[in-house]
Structure formats: structure tokens, C-alpha cells
């Protein structure tokens, strides 16, 4: 019914709009008087067979913000990479502390399991549901520096307390002239007026904001992915043990794994400048604020 060229055109419609439906494809073909001028009607089942033949399947839609790969964000990533590499080249001894917050809820469990054919895969879970627990964690090349769980979302007051605790921990092992660089994202309470004041009062701490839409530059994102399942494996049953266990799960994280995540994120630092030049041409980066 369709020529090879027409089938390629159908595939191109799908590649141009991954959310297109079979009915929309059908309407586009019937109303197209160019490539499909000899096609006056077509069933959706025929279109489904063509897509299957071309190895196109239904998938979960992954929503990508328009701004994520904009020129502005690419330049901010370039600036971030240059800043980190510049710090590495300075003589001042420094250590990067990667900080972020992640939510946790008992309602999230493994969705697939195993059992004998004819029997459901069943796990026992608490009958009650509580609000989300937020864990704020700080990791370095040497492992988990500090973590704190809180019932509900994090805010400015909690992050300032967390920074005070970080300061106490680093003071106990203070190395002369060591500079600690806190790397985190641009969530609103990380940028509230009290936070810059805290860093001004603690000159051996420096804050470095990640570019927007760049979680791959923060190794703690991979830390949280592994940490959640360690917490679930503790078979939590009550609210108080849940808060305790979310912190105890941090102690089970291997230092070697964190070092690998940090190495993985830092690989992007050497490729970002080259990638930006490749796609955007030779540019002069001026100062740009987030």
C-alpha cells in the first residue's frame, strides 16, 4: 500500500513528534496531498504494522524543558567547568563538598518481583502513609561528610543549621589553609539572603552553584539513587525508625562508589568546553548570573 519513500516519511513524522498518535498520523497522511497524494484512507492498524516493521515502539515520554539545552545554559555549564578547573590549578589546598537534598517516602517500593507461576509477587508494607522525609547530605572524595533527615521539605533555616554542622565537622579536622568548596544547585533556599551571609562569616568556605538543568555535574545525584534502595532494604515499619534509617543508610554507602561517582561527573568538565565550541562556534563568554 505504501512505497518505501512513504514509509520513511511516516517514520519522519514520528521522529519529529514522539508524542504523535496513530489517529494524528492517519489524519496527516490523508490530508497530505504531496507525498501521500495517492492515499485516500488508511487504518490505524496498518500504521501500527508499519511502525513495528521500522522498529518503532511505544515508550514512556521523557519530558525535556526547552531551556535545558539552550545556548545560555550551555554557556553557564562552560563557565562552571572553567571555574572548577581553575580551582584545581590554584596552589590553595581545597576540597569539594557536594551537597543536595532528596525526598523519601515509604509508598515508593520495587514494582517488579518474582514468585511461582500462578501466584502474585507480594511484599508486606506499612498500612499507614506519612509525609515525605527529606535527607540533606554532603559527600566528598573521602565519603559521607554529614547527613541529616527531616520530616517535610528543607528550607533556609534547616540548610543554615546543616552548614553550621558542616563547619563543626571540618573544624575538628581542620587542615591549615584548607578551602572547602560547597557545590550545590540553584534551588531558592540555597540562594536566600542569609546563605551568602553565612559564607561571608566563614571565609574558609566557598559556594559554587551548579548550572541549571545540570544534575549530571553533581555526583551526589548518583549517591541518592543508590542510597534510596539501601533505605528501602531496611524494611522500615514506623515513622521514627524511618528517619533514623534514612541516616543509617548513608553509613552503608561505600567510599569507593562515591569516588567513582565524583570521577564520572568530573569527566564532563573536560568535554563541556569542547562541546560548546563545537555546537556554538568560537564565543567570548562574559559574566552571566543565574
Amino acid at each position: 500500500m505504501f512505497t518505501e519513500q512513504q514509509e520513511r516519511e511516516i517514520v519522519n513524522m514520528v521522529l519529529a513528534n514522539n508524542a504523535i498518535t496513530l489517529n494524528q498520523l492517519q489524519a496527516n497522511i490523508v490530508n497530505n496531498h504531496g507525498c501521500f497524494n495517492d492515499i485516500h484512507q488508511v487504518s490505524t492498524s496498518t500504521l501500527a504494522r508499519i511502525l513495528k516493521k521500522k522498529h518503532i515502539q511505544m515508550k514512556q515520554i521523557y519530558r525535556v524543558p526547552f531551556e535545558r539545552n539552550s545556548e545560555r545554559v550551555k554557556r553557564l555549564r562552560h563557565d562552571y567547568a572553567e571555574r572548577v578547573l581553575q580551582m584545581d590549578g590554584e596552589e590553595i589546598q581545597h576540597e569539594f563538598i557536594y551537597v543536595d537534598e532528596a525526598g523519601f517516602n515509604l509508598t515508593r517500593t520495587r514494582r517488579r518481583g518474582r514468585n511461582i507461576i500462578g501466584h502474585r509477587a507480594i511484599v508486606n508494607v506499612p498500612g499507614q502513609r506519612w509525609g515525605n522525609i527529606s535527607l540533606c547530605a554532603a559527600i566528598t572524595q573521602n565519603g559521607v561528610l554529614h547527613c541529616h533527615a527531616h520530616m517535610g521539605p528543607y528550607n533556609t533555616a534547616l540548610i543554615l543549621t546543616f552548614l553550621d554542622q558542616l563547619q563543626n565537622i571540618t573544624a575538628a579536622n581542620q587542615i591549615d589553609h584548607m578551602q572547602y568548596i560547597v557545590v550545590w544547585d540553584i534551588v531558592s533556599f540555597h540562594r536566600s539572603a542569609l546563605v551568602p551571609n553565612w559564607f561571608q562569616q566563614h571565609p574558609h568556605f566557598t559556594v559554587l552553584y551548579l548550572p541549571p538543568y545540570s544534575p549530571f555535574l553533581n555526583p551526589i545525584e548518583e549517591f541518592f539513587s543508590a542510597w534510596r534502595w539501601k533505605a528501602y532494604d531496611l524494611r522500615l515499619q514506623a515513622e521514627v525508625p524511618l528517619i533514623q534509617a534514612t541516616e543509617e543508610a548513608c553509613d552503608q554507602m561505600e567510599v569507593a562508589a562515591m569516588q567513582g561517582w565524583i570521577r564520572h561527573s568530573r569527566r564532563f568538565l573536560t568535554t563541556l568546553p569542547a562541546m560548546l565550541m563545537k555546537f556554538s562556534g568560537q564565543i567570548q563568554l562574559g559574566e552571566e548570573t543565574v
Side-chain angles (χ1 to χ4, degrees), residues 36 38 54 93 99 102 104 117 121 128 142 163 173 201 251 260:
F36 300 98
D38 58 332
K54 297 296 183 179
Q93 192 173 4
V99 179
F104 183 94
I117 294 176
Q128 297 174 311
N142 300 316
L163 289 173
N173 302 314
Q201 296 170 12
D251 298 332

Side-chain angles (χ1 to χ4, degrees), residues 84-207:
V84 172
L85 296 175
Q86 178 186 355
M87 289 177 175
D88 287 343
E90 294 175 351
E91 295 183 359
I92 299 175
Q93 192 173 4
H94 63 276
E95 183 175 28
F96 289 97
I97 302 176
Y98 302 94
V99 179
D100 202 2
E101 307 81 28
F104 183 94
N105 196 300
L106 280 178
T107 58
R108 175 176 172 174
T109 58
R110 299 185 187 276
R111 296 187 176 275
R112 301 181 69 84
R114 294 180 175 87
N115 203 350
I116 299 173
I117 294 176
H119 296 266
R120 292 182 176 178
I122 299 173
V123 294
N124 294 321
V125 297
Q128 297 174 311
R129 293 186 180 183
W130 300 289
N132 285 330
I133 288 180
S134 296
L135 178 82
C136 186
I139 67 171
T140 69
Q141 189 73 24
N142 300 316
V144 178
L145 188 61
H146 181 52
C147 64
H148 174 256
H150 171 74
M151 181 64 71
Y154 244 68
N155 54 34
T156 301
L158 289 171
I159 201 64
L160 289 174
T161 301
F162 187 87
L163 289 173
D164 287 335
Q165 293 166 341
L166 273 185
Q167 195 276 333
N168 294 334
I169 293 170
T170 55
N173 302 314
Q174 182 66 46
I175 302 174
D176 291 340
H177 307 297
M178 172 68 80
Q179 188 71 23
Y180 296 100
I181 300 149
V182 175
V183 179
W184 59 19
D185 56 29
I186 56 173
V187 68
S188 59
F189 60 84
H190 286 172
R191 296 177 291 132
S192 63
L194 295 175
V195 173
N197 292 340
W198 187 94
F199 283 98
Q200 289 177 3
Q201 296 170 12
H202 300 82
H204 58 287
F205 276 87
T206 303
V207 62

Side-chain angles (χ1 to χ4, degrees), residues 77-87 269 273 285:
R77 290 174 184 153
H78 180 276
D79 276 345
Y80 172 84
E82 284 198 335
R83 179 65 179 134
V84 172
L85 296 175
Q86 178 186 355
M87 289 177 175
L269 301 180
L285 296 180

